[in-house]
Structures are given as C-alpha cells and as structure tokens.
Amino acid sequence: MKKLMNVPNAIVDEMIEGYAAAYPKYVKVLPENKRAVVSVNAGKPGKVGVIVGGGSGHEPAFMGIIGPGFADGAPVGNVFASPPPAPILEVTRAVDGGAGVVYMYGNYAGDCMNFDMAAELAEMEDIRVQTVLITDDVASAPADQIHRRRGIAGGFLVFKAAGAAADKGYDLDEVVRVSQKANSNIRTMGVALSPCAVPQTRQPSFVLGEDEMEIGLGIHGEPGVERGPLKTADEVSDSLVNRILEDMPVAKGERVAVLVNGLGSTSYMELFVVYRRVAQRLAEQGIEVHRSFVGEFVTSLEMGGCSISIMRLDDELAEMVDHAVDTPMYVQS
C-alpha cells in the first residue's frame, strides 16, 4: 500500500513539523517536546485549558481542532498509539492559565494509563486536572457497560462542547459537567469498507472481501459486530441509525446534532448520500436536526467507510454546538 513518506519512523514528527509550518497563526510546537502542540494563545489567565489527544493517523483529530473556541493543545502519539506522559505534561503546563485543565480522549487502555500518569505529575506541580473519557461507540460494549465503550468520531462534538464551555468562562467543574453531559448524550456507529495500513508495515490492518463490509469495526481495526455483503447506502445508513436510536432513544420533537464522518478514503459524494438518508429517517420520526456536520473529523489513515453520530440536545448543549470556533481544520461562525 503506497504512502508519501520518507523514513516510516519519522513520519509523525515530520507531519507535526509540516502542520506547524502550515498554520503558524494557530499553533506552535513546544521546544521542550516535539510531540507537544499548543495554541499560540495557550495559557490565557483564568481560562480552563482544554487538552485533547491520542494517537496519530486520525487527522484532523486531534491537533487539527486547536484554536479559539475549541482545544488549547494536543499531545501527539505514534500512529494508533497513545502519547506518552512527557508531551502530555508539557502541553498541560503550557495551557494552564491557573483555572485548571481538562483532559479529553477516547477510552483506550494506553491513553487512560498515560494521561493518568501525566495528571498525577501535573497535580504535583499544583495544576488541577480533571478527565472526561469519550465513550460514544455503540458497537464496542453493551448498553449496561457504557463505561467500557471506545471513543470514536462523536468525540468531536464532545470536544466542541468542552471548548465552548471553557471559552465562555466556565470554571473547571462546569466544563467537566458540560463535557460529561455531551458524552452521555451522543452515540456513534460506523461501517468499514476497506482497510488502512500503518506506515511501518504498509500491510492491510484487516481483510475484507471485495464485496464485504463490517459494521462496528473500530478506528484501529478492532473487530466489529457484523460482517456481511456490501449493502446500499440507504441500507447501511438505516442499520447504523437503528442501532443508535435503539441504544439512545430520541423522542419526537427533540433536537439533535448529526455528524457523518469519513474514515479517510470515502468521498464526500458518498458521505452526503449517507447524510441524505439519515436526515430522511430523523424527519420521519419527527426529530429536528439542529446542526449537521459532514466530512472528515476522526479518520483512520486511508480506511474506507464512515460513521454516524447523533447527539441529543437540550438548550445548553445546542448553545455549545453552535459556539463559534476558528481552527486550522474546522471553522464555524
């Protein structure tokens, strides 16, 4: 599987170097650690610092959403691997404005371990840290074990809620409350059509037949819940929406935000065909789409497929979703 790269083991560092060079008005790389990317305005006094993070290969997550109204910094891990504690701690120091810092990341063992270690080190320096885990992946655990679920594309909207709350001047406990509320009200289901390949091996991360798809496969290639013949876009969309609404019922008249996320090699043409069906299904049930997001938000290198996220909104969450942001990879006025 072909890739534009130099030395495979240098690809993450070279990506960060290129990213910082492309967007110097938004981000900078800390001299203390080349994997620590922060906003040029990081550390605003009195503002809660919002840190998002995880492995590389999911771009524009996570460093792509650093900017006003969104995240303040992102430690960057190797491809599909958690950042170690050192860059997390450096980002924490940089974004701390004296009001505390919230860590936000997907619920994966490596991330939990490394971010927890960094939090302990930060608190030894009198930086107050709280954590919000993203657990939106319906396929990864049953409803009675939500705490075991993985975090995938729905995390974009949870991060957005946190960034909005912090930008509005909420204190740390309130930013955490809003973030947890957002996470509790979002569900995601995905479908994979083709594999990706990590730069070091350039071998497929999993194998699907020419006419196969897999429902619920994770963004690192974790097994899904159903494999079978490729179906039409409407049939796939219906399957994903059905599973989401079975897990998180949404009543007629309620409002939602909808995110259709491409996994890396799925065309916008296909994503809009999927969104078309999602909008039809929700309209049929009397559910109002307050705001929609279609594009690439949390990818998996060049994996084929997409995911659908639905966030149930009240007035507060709608306000957070609507909040203006200005980042290199996503702008909303």
Side-chain angles (χ1 to χ4, degrees):
M1 299 180 77
K2 302 174 184 176
K3 291 186 182 294
L4 286 171
M5 60 182 176
N6 297 309
V7 179
N9 285 340
I11 194 169
V12 174
D13 293 334
E14 291 181 349
M15 172 189 69
I16 295 171
E17 183 181 349
Y19 183 74
Y23 301 109
K25 293 182 180 180
Y26 289 93
V27 301
K28 61 184 178 182
V29 179
L30 295 177
E32 296 84 1
N33 194 298
K34 61 185 177 181
R35 295 291 184 87
V37 185
V38 302
S39 167
V40 294
N41 299 312
K44 180 180 178 181
K47 178 188 176 298
V48 172
V50 176
I51 294 178
V52 300
S56 299
H58 302 303
E59 293 75 31
F62 298 89
M63 62 183 180
I65 58 170
I66 295 173
F70 225 143
D72 296 297
V76 183
N78 287 328
V79 176
F80 295 173
S82 168
I88 302 172
L89 182 59
E90 293 299 343
V91 172
T92 305
R93 289 168 174 157
V95 308
D96 176 42
V101 175
V102 59
Y103 288 172
M104 306 186 71
Y105 51 89
N107 186 27
Y108 298 92
D111 289 294
C112 292
M113 178 179 69
N114 289 336
F115 275 91
D116 282 352
M117 289 175 63
E120 291 177 4
L121 294 170
E123 297 206 356
M124 291 172 63
E125 299 180 15
D126 295 323
I127 302 173
R128 186 181 174 208
V129 174
Q130 292 199 44
T131 296
V132 176
L133 295 179
I134 310 302
T135 57
D136 60 307
D137 185 5
V138 173
S140 57
D144 60 352
Q145 298 178 40
I146 286 179
H147 64 283
R148 292 183 49 237
R149 288 182 172 173
R150 302 182 293 244
I152 51 176
F156 174 85
L157 293 178
V158 183
F159 300 155
K160 194 171 189 312
D167 197 42
K168 289 174 178 292
Y170 290 23
D171 66 21
L172 181 58
D173 290 339
E174 281 293 284
V175 172
V176 169
R177 179 190 63 78
V178 169
S179 305
Q180 290 174 336
K181 180 179 178 180
N183 184 66
S184 297
N185 283 279
I186 192 163
R187 301 289 189 277
T188 303
M189 279 291 298
V191 59
L193 306 181
S194 61
C196 62
V198 298
Q200 285 76 9
T201 67
R202 285 179 286 170
Q203 297 299 311
S205 53
F206 57 90
V207 177
L208 280 174
E210 285 294 319
D211 296 316
E212 278 190 316
M213 66 176 193
E214 185 161 352
I215 299 289
L217 189 137
I219 57 174
H220 308 108
E222 298 93 340
V225 295
E226 179 186 334
R227 179 178 288 205
L230 179 63
K231 297 179 180 179
T232 68
D234 283 2
E235 289 172 325
V236 172
S237 302
D238 285 347
S239 178
L240 301 183
V241 170
N242 289 343
R243 291 170 185 262
I244 289 171
L245 296 182
E246 287 169 5
D247 195 86
M248 183 188 69
V250 180
K252 180 178 180 180
E254 285 195 283
R255 293 175 294 166
V256 297
V258 176
L259 184 147
V260 174
N261 173 67
L263 293 176
S265 67
T266 303
S267 69
Y268 272 72
M269 178 182 290
E270 296 162 87
L271 297 180
F272 284 117
V273 170
V274 169
Y275 180 80
R276 159 193 163 274
R277 182 56 180 166
V278 176
Q280 289 174 349
R281 285 293 312 279
L282 296 176
E284 289 169 0
Q285 298 188 43
I287 299 169
E288 176 190 346
V289 177
H290 176 76
R291 187 178 283 271
S292 57
F293 303 80
V294 181
E296 292 184 338
F297 302 92
V298 181
T299 63
S300 185
L301 293 171
E302 73 274 32
M303 188 182 291
C306 71
S307 62
I308 297 169
S309 302
I310 297 177
M311 175 185 271
R312 189 171 49 197
L313 302 176
D314 60 7
D315 289 344
E316 182 178 49
L317 288 180
E319 181 182 352
M320 301 302 158
V321 166
D322 288 341
H323 190 72
V325 300
D326 182 18
T327 76
M329 306 305 289
Y330 182 77
V331 176
Q332 178 177 306
S333 58

